[in-house]
Amino acid sequence: MFKKILFLFLISAMLLGAFASCAPDDAPITETTVATEPGDTEPPAPSTLVFADNGETDFIVVRPEKAQGYYLDTASVVYQKLKTLLSESFKLSEDWINPLEPSPEDRHEILLFSTNRAESIQAAADLTFDGYIIRVTEHKVVIVGSNPTACNEALYHFFDFIIPDHTKDGVTALPIGLEVKKEVDASSIDFAEAMRSGKTVCADFEIVFKYPQKDGFTAAQGSATDGKYAYVIMKDSKSESREIDRVVKIDMATWEVVLESETMTLDHANDMTYDPVNNILIVTNMYENLVSIINPEDLTLIEQKKLPYGSWATGYVDGAGQYAFLAYGTPSGLVITDTSFNPIRSSALASSEGYIGQGMDADANFAYVPLSPNAGKSDNVIQIYDIKTGEYLGNVSVATKMESESMFHVGDDFYMHFNNVGSKIAILEFYISFE
């Protein structure tokens, strides 16, 4: 009898449980916290990397050993900002590894850009887009970017958000595993906006073409492009009275010379531009106000014209059917003309103490006037002018002592032509300095 009563009780309990499990879906859910008894282990706090502690740190700012231009200068700026903001104990170093010292895997480092550390290499491999990655590991803070603009964005995010958000009571403790990924639009710089707001604009460069001194043609002069070919002028520096020149045509897809002109009397041939409407090259002779018109197909001289003013540089104003000249006489300065060389407007040039005027380039928005170093200067500069108003906006610094001669561009890609043991063409990368 007892077993039968127990069996019925169990069946009843099961049925009640079954009915209870059929409660409506919107029944309230209550969250509870389990109280811990003395001696119980509490959940571990998030693991952090102490970056600075009340003015003390053992972190080293590490940059690539062969860093140049933007990456070299920016590493120094980051180092100084960290010293000022958090600790005088920060150190600055390269990623070179001394074989006599312990391996740096466990060393506390902030890795800037493409260092040889495994953490930098991995972050760079993960950067499959235009932008940046900031990553905190057990021993490292890693910052990589796809270009200077992206690196600037990363560094501003690090100083403006990450450090303040993770600093309390004088201690900056970064969560291990913290990662920030962001795409960055690295489109061309608005020189007017940047310079009017007081920002410093610079340019790194990479040599993409070399043409040697040969046959007595030793001095590189003007340059231009039609978008497919680049054209450079080599001058016979020993020629007397009327100077003798050669025009060299280069395929920009391969950077191979495809044609060299016969000898022409282009005089100093200080600059050259391409007119896409009339398919001609225009050279500023710097002799008796002459300009020379050249056929870009076969590099033959079409004609020479004597203008009522002298000129030493020229560019084509994209989309406007106009030329820009750097002129002397009347008018003078930055002179905009129609394609018959009739002046439309002019404006004064900015002073350039310590630099020597060279050629120029122009697009729909700006005139670019490269100046080579003189009087102890260690860089070239590019003066930037508003092409529509003639307003001088400021200078771009190019950190080289090579003598710039001229500039040209294809879309947003800008090139500088140097006279340096023959002709050298370099592609420029403009950037706003991190400050």
Side-chain angles (χ1 to χ4, degrees), residues 144-358:
V144 296
S146 54
N147 50 61
T149 299
C151 290
N152 276 356
E153 292 281 340
L155 291 168
Y156 283 121
H157 185 88
F158 182 72
F159 280 100
D160 294 345
F161 296 101
I162 292 179
I163 288 180
D165 289 350
H166 299 286
T167 299
K168 184 178 181 181
D169 298 328
V171 178
T172 302
L174 308 180
I176 294 173
L178 171 67
E179 184 170 285
V180 180
K181 289 184 178 181
K182 185 178 180 182
E183 292 187 14
V184 174
D185 178 12
S187 57
S188 58
I189 291 173
D190 184 335
F191 291 99
E193 188 280 330
M195 291 176 169
R196 285 171 180 154
S197 63
K199 296 176 182 176
T200 301
V201 184
C202 299
D204 284 343
F205 66 95
E206 179 185 357
I207 302 294
V208 294
F209 171 79
K210 298 179 182 179
Y211 182 86
Q213 297 176 326
K214 66 177 186 177
D215 306 328
F217 293 88
T218 59
Q221 295 295 333
S223 63
T225 184
D226 59 12
K228 181 178 180 181
Y229 298 101
Y231 304 86
V232 301
I233 299 175
M234 298 297 297
K235 181 169 68 70
D236 183 347
S237 57
K238 294 181 180 179
S239 57
E240 300 177 359
S241 182
R242 298 290 301 274
E243 297 170 283
I244 305 302
D245 309 89
R246 167 188 288 164
V247 182
V248 181
K249 184 175 183 177
I250 306 122
D251 186 339
M252 295 180 70
T254 60
W255 292 108
E256 295 180 351
V257 173
V258 296
L259 184 63
E260 296 175 329
S261 75
E262 298 294 329
T263 297
M264 289 186 281
T265 304
L266 301 177
D267 304 299
H268 196 67
N270 198 64
D271 199 19
M272 176 167 51
T273 194
Y274 174 72
D275 177 344
V277 175
N278 297 297
N279 189 31
I280 54 175
L281 293 166
I282 300 170
V283 178
T284 54
N285 287 45
M286 285 188 68
Y287 176 83
E288 293 188 348
N289 294 5
L290 289 176
V291 294
S292 296
I293 313 300
I294 294 174
N295 183 339
E297 303 298 331
D298 58 10
L299 303 184
T300 56
L301 179 64
I302 298 173
E303 64 175 321
Q304 291 184 331
K305 291 187 175 183
K306 189 170 184 176
L307 306 183
Y309 50 88
S311 62
W312 73 90
T314 184
Y316 183 83
V317 183
D318 291 348
Q322 298 173 340
Y323 301 141
F325 284 98
L326 302 183
Y328 54 90
T330 304
S332 62
L334 175 60
V335 179
I336 306 301
T337 78
D338 61 22
T339 53
S340 296
F341 307 106
N342 299 309
I344 298 172
R345 61 183 181 275
S346 65
S347 55
L349 295 174
S351 63
S352 55
E353 184 177 353
Y355 295 93
I356 300 172
Q358 298 292 348

Side-chain angles (χ1 to χ4, degrees), residues 76-210:
S76 297
V77 174
V78 170
Y79 164 65
Q80 292 297 336
K81 286 177 72 75
L82 288 172
K83 288 184 67 174
T84 301
L85 183 64
L86 296 177
S87 172
E88 283 287 334
S89 300
F90 277 100
K91 294 180 174 61
L92 176 63
S93 182
E94 300 171 347
D95 61 358
W96 178 77
I97 298 174
N98 186 341
L100 301 179
E101 292 182 354
S103 178
E105 281 87 352
D106 296 338
R107 191 180 302 156
H108 284 164
E109 297 174 330
I110 175 168
L111 305 176
L112 298 180
F113 321 128
S114 299
T115 77
N116 61 10
R117 304 294 195 260
E119 293 87 351
S120 293
I121 293 171
Q122 183 60 59
D126 295 339
L127 191 63
T128 57
F129 52 90
D130 287 335
Y132 67 81
I133 293 176
I134 302 172
R135 182 175 289 166
V136 179
T137 70
E138 186 177 357
H139 302 288
K140 316 289 185 187
V141 178
V142 186
I143 299 177
V144 296
S146 54
N147 50 61
T149 299
C151 290
N152 276 356
E153 292 281 340
L155 291 168
Y156 283 121
H157 185 88
F158 182 72
F159 280 100
D160 294 345
F161 296 101
I162 292 179
I163 288 180
D165 289 350
H166 299 286
T167 299
K168 184 178 181 181
D169 298 328
V171 178
T172 302
L174 308 180
I176 294 173
L178 171 67
E179 184 170 285
V180 180
K181 289 184 178 181
K182 185 178 180 182
E183 292 187 14
V184 174
D185 178 12
S187 57
S188 58
I189 291 173
D190 184 335
F191 291 99
E193 188 280 330
M195 291 176 169
R196 285 171 180 154
S197 63
K199 296 176 182 176
T200 301
V201 184
C202 299
D204 284 343
F205 66 95
E206 179 185 357
I207 302 294
V208 294
F209 171 79
K210 298 179 182 179

Side-chain angles (χ1 to χ4, degrees), residues 205 373 377-380 397-403 416 418:
F205 66 95
K377 297 293 184 179
S378 59
D379 66 338
N380 286 253
S397 175
V398 185
T400 178
K401 292 184 179 180
M402 291 192 298
E403 182 188 15
M416 182 169 278
F418 292 100

